[in-house]
Amino acid sequence: MVIRDDLVDALQAARAVVVLTGAGVSAESGIPTFRDAREGLWAKYDPLELATPEAFDRDPETVARWYDWRREKCAAAKPNPAHRALAGLEKQLAARERGFTLLTQNVDRLHQAAGSENVVELHGTLWVWRCTRCGVEHEERDVPFREYPPRCACGGARRPGVVWFGELLPEQALQQAHDALEACDFFFSIGTSAVVEPAASFIHAARRRGAKTVEINRDPTPISNAVDWSMPGKAGEILPALCKRTFAI
Ligand code: OAD
């Protein structure tokens, strides 16, 4: 794997790093991505039947069971070298009083399990469920559920605290993302197909701000030609090597 010297120099000089991650970062932990042609979740399941508010209204049991199946997969998963490298990068940058914000589209909380601290969950998390009647959120760590859908103390059905198709991103997460992008001088896009908005446009905001940009992804994406450094391959191999070269971690 070639890690260019100019990339290492630019990362060493960075004052405020923003990292955007997607499902590809958790793939090496055994969690399926969405758009892989054979193994991706959306190749096997219809998102309109499972990941919309209308689907939950129509058939809350099926939707809750599917999300519980995903919770079980995530509960069994461990952070991989990509998650750990990003947590190490955050610590190295913090020690140098540099900024670091991790914007993730992932709902599995493996970044936090690896030790990342400044994490913004753009698409919510599988571990918090929200009552559709009273709105109260509840951390749901036990797997599997005992009933589908799980019920709130008020008797209402709880839905997963993730963002579904047709829904807006959590306002606070979006604001944090915008603030971080406004301030960043170095931007990574890692393990995301870069097709789902608004995250797909973050690269452009970072570029407008004058940030240096890197993509680490197994396959080419719509932004591969727009970044300063495109690194094709596995995040769990490239990130540890890049961090070792840059900060000897
Ligand atoms: P996708 O499944 O669309 O894309 C995953 C990307 O990761 C692909 O480009 C793969 O080539 C790449 N990839 C796979 N394994 C990798 C590895 N080991 N190292 C590096 N890259 C790898 O997933 P996302 O981009 O995260 O939203 O999808 C974005 C959103 O679409 C998800 O958050 C989800 C989905 O619909 C909601 O559910 C709201």
Side-chain angles (χ1 to χ4, degrees), residues 44-71:
K44 295 183 177 170
Y45 304 96
D46 180 355
L48 294 181
E49 298 293 325
L50 295 163
T52 65
E54 294 76 21
F56 188 76
D57 286 345
R58 237 181 356 252
D59 189 351
E61 178 174 345
T62 299
V63 172
R65 281 189 188 279
W66 188 70
Y67 277 92
D68 202 30
W69 167 75
R70 288 182 57 198
R71 290 168 77 246

Side-chain angles (χ1 to χ4, degrees), residues 165-179:
F165 288 99
E167 293 185 323
L168 297 174
L169 268 58
E171 210 173 304
Q172 193 189 357
L174 209 48
Q175 189 60 52
Q176 287 173 301
H178 283 306
D179 291 348

